[in-house]
Each structure stands twice: as C-alpha cells, then as structure tokens.
C-alpha cells in the first residue's frame, strides 16, 4: 500500500486511498454506458457482433485508463469516444463504403500519427492552427448528430418520403400505430426523463441508471404485449466466455488480417478516390480526437484544481501519448478511436487527484468484461436515451460562439448543422473550413490564414470532387 501511495503521490496531492477508490467507482458508473452503446452501434454493421465489440470496448478501456493513470498520474479515464464511434459506423462504413476492417485501419494509422506528432510536440501546434469557430463548434455538431441517431434508435423519428424524416405515429386509436410499436418509444422518453431528473438530483452515474430504469420499465410494460417474453429471450445465452470467443474470431487483429484489403471498395471506386477519402477521413478523426482530448484534459483538471500554476495540465504530453497509444491498441482490439472521457470529471469532483483513481476505474472495466450476456438484455430504446442526453451535454459549447459576428457565426453554424444534416462529421468540419477561409479571403484577412488551414481545406475540396 505504501508503494501505491508513493508511486501515485497520493498524500502529496492531499488525497487518500479511500477517496481515490470512491472517485474511481464514480467515474466507472458515469461512463460504463459506453460498453452497451458502443456494442449496439457496431453490431449494426452486421460483420461484427455485439459480444465481440463489448469485449473490445472493455479491454481498450482497461488499457487506455491504465495508461493515462500510470503514465500521466491523472485521475482520468479513456474509452471509445462518443461521436467518433458514430462517425466510424455511420459515415466511414455505411456512408463511404469501407468495411469494418478498412475503417479500423484508418483508426490504427490515426493512432500512429498521434504517437509521432505527440512525441515531437506538433500536436499542440496543429490544434492552434484550426479556425477558432470550427474548433469551438465541433462538439455541438457531434452532439446533434449523436442525438439524431438516438431519436432514430428510439423509433421516435422515422423515414418520410416527402420530408425525409418525421415523427413516428402514436395514433393507436385510429390504427395508425400499434401498442407494440408505441411502447418502446415511450420507454425512450421515460428513460430520458429519468436521466435528467437524476442529473438534477446530482446522482452519480445518471446515464447508466437512466438506461437501467428504462430497461426495467420496458420489461414491465412487456406484460401488455402477447408473446413478448418468448420472443425476447429465445436466443439469450448467459455464458460470458462465448463473448471472448466472438471477440477472437470477429474483432481481434482484423485491422492486420483484413484492413489492407480494399478490393470491395475499389470495385466501385477509383484508386484516386480511395486515397482522397482515406486522407480526409484520417483528418476528421484526428481533428475530432484532438479537440475532444485536449478540451477534456483541461476541463477535468480545471474542475479538480489540478492545473499547474501556469494553468497547464500536469504531464500534458504524457496524457496525450497515452491517448495515442490507446487508440492504436484499440484498433488492434477492434474498436474505434479511444479518447479521454469528459465523464471522468465526476470522479475528479469526488476528490480523485491521482492516477490511482484511474487504476480503480480500469479494474471495474475488467470485471465488466464478464457481464456481456446481462448487458444484452438492455433494449435499444433504453440505450437511445443515452445518445440523446449525451447530445444535450455536448451542446453547451454554443454559448462561447459570437453569434453577432458573421466571421465566427457562419463557420460555426455550418459546422454544427451539416453534421446531422449529412450524417457525416467530416462534412461539417469541411464546411466550417470552407466558410472560414472564404470569409477571411474576401475581407482582406488572407494573411491570417495559417498554412495548415490551407492544406486541410484543399484536402477537403479534393474529397468532395472525387467522392460525392
């Protein structure tokens, strides 16, 4: 115990073992929903199962959280990033036509690039070169995108030929909808309210408890639907080791065995298109992870009074390196970009000040590896509420936008709205870059545009001309 105290400098940071353990448990409760959400999202690809991704998500969370705790001695945690996982599944795989393994290759190279630019200090300089309006508005765009996916998963939003999307019908009396269709939609709304009420009451792990509460309501209301339980539990298996078998067969190492095979994509597209789309996808992943990680590091450390006297994150470069290493390892395990979770600030708020908090959180993620069969009982309608609520949380950045100044408001607005409207994060970023550069060019501020901004804008232009 003394070795732990000395290694993590627990007493030097005015903390205790008990406080660090409570903080680690709190952090796990706040972010454990990612195990369920990520697994259900990836399972839609059809080429990888819920079980396989559950194990991949848990293992990558264990590695990433241990890395940032031990390397940087910070009370933070890492896992597959919300928004980045949606971009992986809906934009890169479904939208661009990459296979699951191809998309993992994008993530793997993303991690390698981050290792290099973090070690050389370039990562911080790139962050400063991105237009301010694009940088501060990206979380809001991603939040709307995630919320839109949540509304679709809940069944509240459906396809419509005239308006493309519309609200689902609740008209049971006139036969336009059945109770079996309406009930899950109501569960999503109830689950969302539960999360909000618990958040107001400052209950720890609000998203997780909201999902659990929605699940209980779902099964209670199942009594009102004939044959509900027979259909739902027909294929349920409770052996956790089946999940490890699926993980080994479907996810582990797929980036190396199948990731370089783009024959299916090239059968429909040219090599030039592949190169352009691959590079711009890398850019989108890199920028989103760049902003997400840096913003979270500063925000969480500021909340816990962990910043240095100069206002910097302690062991900043080590924290960024742990993120880069985790992303690389995560791709090998079979999941999308690993990033620092903003939910870790809940553990910091509980008094966590050292990396031992992260060790506790990582230990709980390891234990969660053996609960994948039980997690499959959670219906998508309950899970959808978490997507909607995370979208709400990510909208807070809009208050920092100067809406009275078109030089900032236009790029910010386009960045935000084009992500959900096109179901593609990179398109939102691209429109933000385009508008920011054009405004500066035609207002006599061309000299203010940095070289990196010009290069990124040019790459996005190439992407649009060859892939749309």
């Amino acid at each position: 115990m003394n070795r732990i105290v000395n290694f993590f400098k627990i007493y030097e940071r005015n903390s205790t073992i008990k406080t660090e353990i409570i903080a680690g448990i709190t952090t796990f409760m706040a972010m454990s929903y990612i195990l369920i959400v990520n697994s259900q999202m990836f399972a839609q690809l059809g080429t990888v199962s819920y079980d396989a991704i559950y194990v991949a998500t848990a293992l990558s969370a264990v590695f990433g959280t241990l890395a940032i705790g031990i390397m940087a001695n910070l009370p933070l945690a890492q896992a597959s990033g919300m928004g980045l996982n949606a971009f992986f599944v809906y934009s890169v795989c479904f939208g661009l036509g990459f296979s699951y393994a191809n998309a993992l290759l994008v993530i793997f190279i993303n991690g390698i690039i981050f290792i290099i630019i973090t070690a050389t200090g370039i990562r911080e300089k790139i962050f400063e070169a991105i237009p301010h309006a694009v940088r501060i508005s990206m979380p809001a765009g991603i939040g709307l995108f995630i919320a839109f996916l949540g509304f679709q998963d809940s069944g509240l939003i459906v396809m419509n030929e005239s308006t493309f999307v519309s609200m689902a019908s609740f008209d049971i009396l006139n036969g336009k909808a059945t109770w079996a269709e309406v009930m899950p939609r109501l569960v999503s709304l109830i689950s969302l309210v539960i999360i909000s009420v618990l958040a107001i009451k400052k209950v720890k792990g609000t998203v997780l408890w909201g999902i659990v509460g929605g699940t209980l309501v779902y099964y209670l209301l199942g009594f009102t639907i004939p044959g509900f339980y027979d259909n739902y539990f027909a294929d349920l298996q409770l052996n956790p080791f089946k999940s490890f078998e699926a993980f080994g067969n479907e996810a582990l190492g797929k980036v190396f065995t199948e990731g370089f095979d783009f024959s299916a994509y090239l059968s429909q597209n040219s090599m030039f298109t592949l190169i352009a789309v691959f590079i711009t996808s890398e850019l989108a992943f890199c920028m989103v992870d760049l902003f997400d990680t840096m913003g979270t590091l500063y925000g969480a450390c500021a909340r816990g009074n962990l910043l240095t006297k100069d206002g910097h994150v302690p062991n900043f470069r080590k924290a960024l390196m742990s993120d880069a290493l985790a992303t690389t390892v995560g791709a090998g395990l079979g999941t999308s970009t690993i990033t620092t979770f903003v939910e870790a600030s809940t553990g910091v708020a509980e008094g966590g000040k050292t990396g031992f908090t992260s060790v506790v959180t990582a230990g709980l993620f390891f234990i969660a590896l053996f609960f994948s069969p039980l997690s499959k009982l959670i219906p998508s309608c309950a899970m959808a509420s978490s997507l909607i609520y995370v979208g709400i949380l990510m909208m807070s950045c809009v208050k920092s936008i100067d809406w009275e100044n078109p030089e900032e408001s236009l790029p910010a607005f386009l960045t935000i709205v084009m992500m959900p409207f096109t179901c593609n994060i990179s398109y939102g970023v691209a429109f933000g870059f385009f508008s920011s550069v054009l405004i500066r060019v035609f207002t006599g501020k061309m000299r203010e545009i940095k070289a990196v901004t010009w290069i990124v804008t040019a790459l996005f232009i190439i992407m649009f001309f060859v892939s749309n």
Side-chain angles (χ1 to χ4, degrees), residues 222-246:
F223 282 106
T224 63
I225 301 175
F228 173 85
Y229 298 103
D230 294 337
N231 295 331
Y232 204 86
F233 295 105
D235 300 320
L236 181 65
Q237 60 86 18
L238 296 177
N239 182 0
F241 295 102
K242 289 288 185 179
S243 298
F244 290 95
E245 181 181 352

Side-chain angles (χ1 to χ4, degrees), residues 14-34:
N14 297 317
S15 186
T16 66
I17 291 288
K18 180 181 178 181
T19 299
E20 297 292 307
I21 292 175
I22 293 174
I25 295 172
T26 301
T27 295
F28 174 77
M29 291 292 291
M31 61 181 287
S32 57
Y33 69 89
I34 190 61

Side-chain angles (χ1 to χ4, degrees), residues 352-371:
K353 295 182 182 297
T354 75
F356 189 61
T357 292
S358 303
V359 172
V360 173
T361 302
L364 292 173
F365 268 114
F366 180 79
I367 294 173
L369 273 169
F370 303 94
F371 289 87

Side-chain angles (χ1 to χ4, degrees), residues 12-237:
E12 290 181 36
R13 295 190 180 180
N14 297 317
S15 186
T16 66
I17 291 288
K18 180 181 178 181
T19 299
E20 297 292 307
I21 292 175
I22 293 174
I25 295 172
T26 301
T27 295
F28 174 77
M29 291 292 291
M31 61 181 287
S32 57
Y33 69 89
I34 190 61
L35 295 170
I36 303 161
V37 174
N38 209 48
S39 303
Q40 291 195 7
M41 192 176 292
F42 271 74
Q44 296 178 45
L45 292 173
T47 54
V48 62
S49 67
Y50 177 101
D51 291 326
I53 295 300
Y54 184 96
V55 174
T57 305
L59 286 176
S60 59
V62 170
F63 178 87
T65 303
L66 283 176
I68 199 167
I70 294 174
M71 291 175 61
N73 195 18
L74 291 173
L76 304 176
Q78 300 190 108
S80 299
M82 288 296 295
L84 289 161
N85 53 4
F87 182 47
F88 183 106
V89 173
Y90 298 100
S91 298
V92 178
C93 291
F94 287 146
L96 299 178
F98 280 10
S99 69
Y100 163 65
N102 293 156
L104 286 176
L105 181 61
V106 177
I107 303 301
F108 182 77
I109 295 177
N110 180 193
I112 297 297
I113 292 173
F114 268 178
I115 291 174
I116 295 172
I117 65 176
T118 299
T120 56
I122 298 175
R123 192 169 180 177
E124 297 96 314
K125 295 179 180 179
I126 294 176
F127 180 79
E128 296 171 357
I130 308 304
H132 178 261
V134 177
R135 189 163 65 234
I136 63 176
S137 59
M138 283 179 62
I142 296 172
L144 282 179
F145 180 37
I146 292 174
F148 180 62
L149 297 175
F151 280 115
Q152 287 182 309
D153 289 343
S154 69
L156 291 167
I157 289 180
V158 294
M159 297 299 295
N160 183 291
E161 292 183 3
S162 58
T163 60
F164 298 105
V165 293
S166 64
M167 192 179 82
S169 175
F170 284 78
D171 190 355
I172 299 176
L173 297 178
N174 292 312
K176 294 181 180 179
T178 65
W179 171 242
E181 295 171 332
V182 170
M183 187 271 280
R185 300 166 191 166
L186 292 176
V187 169
S188 293
L189 294 175
I190 293 171
S191 183
L192 183 60
V193 171
I194 292 174
I195 294 174
S196 301
V197 171
L198 292 178
I200 293 171
K201 297 292 186 180
K202 300 188 183 303
V203 175
K204 308 304 178 185
T206 53
V207 175
L208 175 63
W209 290 122
I211 294 174
V212 172
T215 300
L216 293 175
V217 173
Y218 180 74
Y219 285 115
L220 287 174
L221 293 177
F223 282 106
T224 63
I225 301 175
F228 173 85
Y229 298 103
D230 294 337
N231 295 331
Y232 204 86
F233 295 105
D235 300 320
L236 181 65
Q237 60 86 18

